[in-house]
Amino acid sequence: MADILASLRSLMASQSPPLDALLVLSEDYHQSEYVSARDKRREFVSGFTGSAGLALITKNEARLWTDGRYFLQATQQLSDQWKLMRIGEDPPLDVWMSDNLQKEAAIGIDPWCVSVDTAQRWERAFAKKNQKLVQTSTNLVDEIWKNRPPAEINPAVDHPLEFAGRSVAEKLKALREKLSSEKARGIIITALDEVAWLYNIRGSDVSYSPVVHAFAIVTLNSAFLYVDKRKVSSKVSSSLQANGIEVREYGAVSSDAAMLASNQLDQAMGVNFGQNGVCQNDTCDNDLIWVDPASCCYALFSKLDANKVLLQQSPLALAKALKNPVELDGLKNAHIRDGAAVVQYLVWLDKQMQEIYGASGYFLEGEVTSKKIPNAPCRETMKLTEVSVSDKLEGFRASKEHFRGLSFPTISSVGPNAAIIHYSPQAKTCAELDPNSIYLFDSGAQYLDGTTDITRTVHFGKPSAHEKACYTSVLKGHIALGNARFPNGTNGYSLDILARIPLWRYGLDYRHGTGHGIGSYLNVHEGPHQISFRPQARNVPLQVSMTVTDEPGYYEDGNFGIRLENVLVIKEADTEFNFGDKGYLSFEHITWAPYQIKLIDLSILTPEEIQWLNRYHSKCREILAPYLDKNEMEWLKKATEPMKG
């Protein structure tokens, strides 16, 4: 790590002007949450593997900022060359740089890897001391990364209408109408899931996300896809062309953005004005170029006339979040199959924990009777690890119809590891399962008809009274949010508190948001809405046909972690009254897997909460029955026996 920092500092000194600091971000050219192996630059320089974080390298220091999900993980992974900066507790990066770097300092950044709003926020902060954000002509990390993974050439595929629910023509028409209403003549689309959704294509360029590395530009008269053409088959090319979409090389987006700014792109491509019926000539009133400041990189924004840019959230973000009926049906079906896989996994794991470790099992609270696992060499083949059991879970999912892979790296965590919110077990260092400790698994899959995300927390031995109280408090918050009814116009910021109140009663809390949207065979984390204490959760009200997770938790460093997560669909609520004629909304659970009754302290639950759990468990039995064999069904019946308060 020291050699990497020394090499970067040498490169920084050789720049013109010499750089006093270098920023290394987690994102790729599309501001993605999950990135391909070759884009993990921040991980390469710091050793920290979490999905969110930002590295700052100065002449004498190296600091890494990350959020509460990763404090414990970063502490463990960062070498003594690095100092951890805790977002929300330590000064924000722009404040720290403004206060600690010298006047007129030059701070380097790859403009392709930073969003417009982030770059502009930093520039405002730096202006106080005449510090400057310098756009480097190449990414300095790439220059020293000797064994950087190569770009993969993975094929783009059509996403059929039977799963997409809306045609490309419909989506383009709606987008152009939105452009016209905002006086825009074109839009640059940079978010990978938005490009995939708009053009009904999918790919495998990024692990866990079925997207293609591509940009799109759509004008009132034309549409372009910027992608490595080797990824586009004749079949995909034909379907794109049939919708008036021209395929261009990935790197051409830079020069085309400049042509778009000068209103020459359509003419240069020989587009006939008015062919799409929105703008009949080249003298329309529409003169703005729309870019999303949160996802458009600064490099492309710099090609535009800043006075003629509409900096506003992409219209595709909300359109994509509002699932159509076909997508909703697909998501529900995918979650049923996924729930069956989770139950099959729990049945298998319960049996293994009893047979190998002498655990009392999923249903009983006895002490471990004996360690049945023998000594080496048999031990290595018999023992259960966080990785080996998560591989088994993936196997159960892989047997289901339409399975296309996982939707994120499975969080399979025992005891203290479960307290690491986004823990990622590694084969060489992961823990062995322990019948005396809590086990948390947060996992999901990509199916052609939907994306899934579920978390359950279990114990195969005798949980302590404290563990039960914490689990039940998390469960109470989970139920409270899932049962909420709220007026139209309510945002996720307002609802976040519902999941925390049962924990706050004991002085407990958690450092992550409570809910995120989920894609339709797309990204597992999808905006623009969210349920969170973070201010951006105020930006978008929750609306009918949105999906959102319900996932409160509690984590004790060094001891255990608890999280429970279901996916919900927002629907109209049937209320007795309708104050203010606003209309009211509620949630529908579409995740089906039992909560562990052994971990519940029934004395803490209200009769209404017990009634809800019994109803939910009854639905689990009914809905999953067609997917389970006799033994699995017997296990599920026992796991969902009615509780009595």
Side-chain angles (χ1 to χ4, degrees), residues 452-493:
T452 67
D453 187 0
I454 176 176
T455 309
R456 289 295 184 264
T457 303
V458 295
H459 199 303
F460 293 100
K462 186 174 182 179
S464 69
H466 177 57
E467 288 171 331
K468 284 186 176 184
C470 292
Y471 179 96
T472 310
S473 298
V474 172
L475 178 62
K476 285 172 73 73
H478 177 77
I479 294 171
L481 176 59
N483 285 344
R485 292 186 177 191
F486 47 95
N488 267 306
T490 303
N491 57 45
Y493 186 88

Side-chain angles (χ1 to χ4, degrees), residues 580-642:
D581 290 326
K582 288 184 173 182
Y584 283 71
L585 304 176
S586 62
F587 295 115
E588 173 187 355
H589 288 256
I590 63 171
T591 299
W592 304 107
Y595 305 97
Q596 191 178 24
I597 295 172
K598 185 172 80 173
L599 267 172
I600 298 173
D601 183 342
L602 287 174
S603 69
I604 300 176
L605 294 181
T606 65
E608 292 77 16
E609 289 166 337
I610 293 173
Q611 186 180 38
W612 182 87
L613 278 167
N614 287 337
R615 282 200 309 269
Y616 176 83
H617 277 161
S618 176
K619 281 188 173 181
C620 280
R621 292 193 300 273
E622 175 189 343
I623 288 170
L624 298 181
Y627 299 86
L628 304 175
D629 67 24
K630 183 180 177 182
N631 289 337
E632 292 159 352
M633 197 60 210
E634 286 301 315
W635 185 96
L636 181 59
K637 284 178 181 176
K638 193 173 180 182
T640 56
E641 285 179 350

Side-chain angles (χ1 to χ4, degrees), residues 92 95 118 132 241 412 603:
V95 173
T118 298
K132 288 188 172 61
Q241 288 174 8
S412 174
S603 69

Side-chain angles (χ1 to χ4, degrees), residues 37-59:
R38 68 185 274 102
D39 290 321
K40 293 182 177 179
R41 299 178 178 93
R42 188 227 60 227
E43 179 180 322
F44 170 73
V45 300
S46 69
F48 168 62
T49 62
S51 66
L54 195 155
L56 174 70
I57 299 157
T58 70
K59 294 174 181 177

Side-chain angles (χ1 to χ4, degrees), residues 19-229:
L19 300 179
D20 299 287
L22 177 69
L23 290 159
V24 183
L25 287 78
S26 304
E27 291 78 12
D28 58 13
Y29 291 4
H30 306 268
Q31 311 308 303
S32 307
E33 177 185 16
Y34 295 116
V35 300
S36 65
R38 68 185 274 102
D39 290 321
K40 293 182 177 179
R41 299 178 178 93
R42 188 227 60 227
E43 179 180 322
F44 170 73
V45 300
S46 69
F48 168 62
T49 62
S51 66
L54 195 155
L56 174 70
I57 299 157
T58 70
K59 294 174 181 177
N60 305 305
E61 290 189 88
R63 293 177 179 247
L64 181 125
W65 276 256
T66 192
D67 62 52
R69 295 172 298 169
Y70 294 112
F71 290 169
L72 192 53
Q73 180 179 338
T75 301
Q76 295 173 352
Q77 291 184 330
L78 292 175
S79 72
D80 56 10
Q81 302 278 326
W82 289 83
K83 177 173 174 56
L84 173 62
M85 302 295 284
R86 294 170 168 82
I87 294 174
E89 297 179 12
D90 293 319
L93 176 121
D94 50 353
V95 173
W96 189 91
M97 286 195 290
S98 178
D99 290 346
N100 289 275
L101 296 181
Q102 65 201 45
K103 285 187 177 181
E104 300 182 348
I107 301 146
I109 186 76
D110 179 348
W112 288 93
C113 294
V114 63
S115 67
V116 177
D117 58 1
T118 298
Q120 291 183 336
R121 185 175 74 249
W122 289 343
E123 286 180 330
R124 287 192 295 272
F126 300 160
K128 300 170 190 170
K129 291 170 65 174
N130 288 326
Q131 297 163 334
K132 288 188 172 61
L133 194 64
V134 177
Q135 299 185 33
T136 58
S137 57
T138 60
N139 192 297
L140 301 192
V141 175
D142 294 352
E143 293 192 35
I144 66 159
W145 194 350
K146 296 286 191 288
N147 298 312
R148 186 182 176 211
E152 296 183 35
I153 309 302
N154 300 311
V157 296
D158 285 320
H159 189 50
L161 196 58
E162 65 177 292
F163 299 123
R166 286 182 73 197
S167 68
V168 176
E170 288 179 274
K171 293 177 181 180
L172 282 171
K173 182 174 184 290
L175 174 58
R176 289 185 171 115
E177 288 171 353
K178 191 70 177 173
L179 291 177
S180 192
S181 69
E182 295 288 341
K183 302 297 183 188
R185 57 182 173 82
I187 181 170
I188 302 175
I189 303 160
T190 54
L192 297 180
D193 61 333
E194 292 185 6
V195 175
W197 179 85
L198 177 65
Y199 289 162
N200 282 351
I201 56 172
R202 298 293 188 270
S204 55
D205 283 351
V206 179
S207 297
Y208 312 109
S209 301
V211 294
V212 184
H213 277 136
F215 297 96
I217 291 178
V218 176
T219 75
L220 296 173
N221 304 286
S222 58
F224 304 91
L225 174 68
Y226 298 88
V227 63
D228 186 326
K229 287 186 177 181

Side-chain angles (χ1 to χ4, degrees), residues 4-19:
I4 291 172
L5 291 175
S7 297
L8 277 176
R9 286 176 175 132
S10 175
L11 266 181
M12 288 161 57
S14 70
Q15 299 297 297
S16 180
L19 300 179

